[in-house]
Amino acid sequence: MTTFVLINVTLLVILTATALTVSRMRALYEATMLTALFSLVTACLFVLLDAVDVAFTEAAVGVGISTVLLLGGLSLTRSRETVTPRRRRLPGAAVAVLTGGTLIYAAQDLPGFGAADTPVQNHPITDVYLRQSQEDIGIPNTVTSVLASYRGLDTLGELVVVVTAGVAVLLLLGPLARPEDAGWRKSLDLVDYRVLRVVSGMLMPFILLFALYVLFHGDFGPGGGFQAGVIFATGFVLYGLVFGLDKAQRVLPKAVLWSLIPLGLVLFIGLGVVSMLLGGSFLDYNTLSPGDPAAGQHLGILLVEAAIGITVAAVMTSIFFSFASRRTTR
């Protein structure tokens, strides 16, 4: 067994053990922290599979923002799960076993783990994306070329989904949010911990700088708008937890956030309209620099990534601010 396979098997065992432990726990705070561990191990698996872009997002959202929101939800309700009668657990267990069995059966058709002769390695489209994209787009990172240029319409659809989901969540939370009620903040505010304040204050510039690096380096390595957006949001979530929600909202007011949510989508669509006005098709970045198509691709992809980053960061941060402003109901 190679070292690569051994590491993957070890991480899979950790994931399985964590999932089984979470399923049997009644203490929800502990279950939440184990869920964060599950996301962290999953991010490690993505790194091993060379999906560093996905690992960024999993680490920032799965380990960071999702854990904070879950802890905030528990502070509004109860910290222990109600014991479910055995007869009501049987249908759920049956569905889980059936689904797992179906997935295991379907997995028999998959190629061998790590095999070099898999369709993804031998299919002609692979060579097109890996080689021809360097000539068509001029971007070293093939993932960025595919997401922002070749399938730009699909990425635009994903951004629409993010905006729609964010607005829906804000509408659900909005009527129940009362900024003057500090019930949620008292349970999660870390403002009284001086060490955390000092360390977080030192880390904040580096977090935001790293987000900018991920955004602008997406042409050459792992990164891009989605990853940069969630890292930006994670920084402001940390700031709100450590220094208090009031200070965080003074730095980044809700009105500004709500304006930024559609701004990225408008910028994305506007870029497509401009490319059409310049004589090309929708999201044809070559028209941005007719004399140097590669420069036009660089400019168009940079604007697209910036638009995605703005919207994702604004949606994530707005959800945290609105959730943190909810009144305690217990």
Side-chain angles (χ1 to χ4, degrees), residues 19-38:
L20 292 175
T21 304
V22 170
S23 67
R24 297 182 61 85
M25 293 187 72
R26 292 293 177 264
L28 298 180
Y29 278 110
E30 290 83 346
T32 298
M33 300 313 298
L34 285 178
T35 303
L37 172 63
F38 188 94

Side-chain angles (χ1 to χ4, degrees), residues 210-223:
F210 180 64
L212 290 174
Y213 172 81
V214 170
L215 175 64
F216 293 113
H217 194 258
D219 293 357
F220 305 96

Side-chain angles (χ1 to χ4, degrees), residues 92-149:
V95 171
V97 171
L98 179 62
T99 303
T102 303
L103 292 175
I104 293 174
Y105 175 76
Q108 304 306 307
D109 290 335
L110 293 175
F113 181 73
D117 58 347
T118 59
V120 72
Q121 302 292 342
N122 299 327
H123 199 281
I125 196 66
T126 301
D127 187 68
V128 171
Y129 280 134
L130 292 180
R131 300 183 184 277
Q132 186 174 327
S133 66
Q134 303 300 317
E135 303 175 2
D136 295 342
I137 311 299
I139 300 296
N141 187 1
T142 306
V143 175
T144 301
S145 300
V146 173
L147 294 180
S149 185

Side-chain angles (χ1 to χ4, degrees), residues 8-159:
N8 278 275
V9 171
T10 302
L11 293 178
L12 179 60
V13 171
I14 295 175
L15 285 176
T16 304
T18 303
L20 292 175
T21 304
V22 170
S23 67
R24 297 182 61 85
M25 293 187 72
R26 292 293 177 264
L28 298 180
Y29 278 110
E30 290 83 346
T32 298
M33 300 313 298
L34 285 178
T35 303
L37 172 63
F38 188 94
S39 295
L40 183 60
V41 176
T42 303
C44 295
L45 278 174
F46 286 140
V47 173
L48 289 174
L49 296 174
D50 289 333
V52 184
D53 306 71
V54 184
F56 275 150
T57 308
E58 181 66 31
V61 177
V63 183
I65 297 177
S66 296
T67 302
V68 170
L69 294 179
L70 286 173
L71 291 174
L74 293 179
S75 70
L76 296 173
T77 56
R78 61 180 66 185
S79 60
R80 291 192 65 84
E81 181 184 359
T82 303
V83 177
T84 304
R86 184 179 298 273
R87 66 178 184 277
R88 296 183 61 184
R89 283 184 284 175
L90 291 178
V95 171
V97 171
L98 179 62
T99 303
T102 303
L103 292 175
I104 293 174
Y105 175 76
Q108 304 306 307
D109 290 335
L110 293 175
F113 181 73
D117 58 347
T118 59
V120 72
Q121 302 292 342
N122 299 327
H123 199 281
I125 196 66
T126 301
D127 187 68
V128 171
Y129 280 134
L130 292 180
R131 300 183 184 277
Q132 186 174 327
S133 66
Q134 303 300 317
E135 303 175 2
D136 295 342
I137 311 299
I139 300 296
N141 187 1
T142 306
V143 175
T144 301
S145 300
V146 173
L147 294 180
S149 185
Y150 284 133
R151 42 161 284 197
L153 282 174
D154 186 61
T155 302
L156 175 59
E158 293 177 0
L159 192 61

Side-chain angles (χ1 to χ4, degrees), residues 168-180:
V169 172
L170 292 175
L171 289 175
L172 289 173
L173 294 176
L176 299 177
R178 292 185 180 178
E180 69 277 4

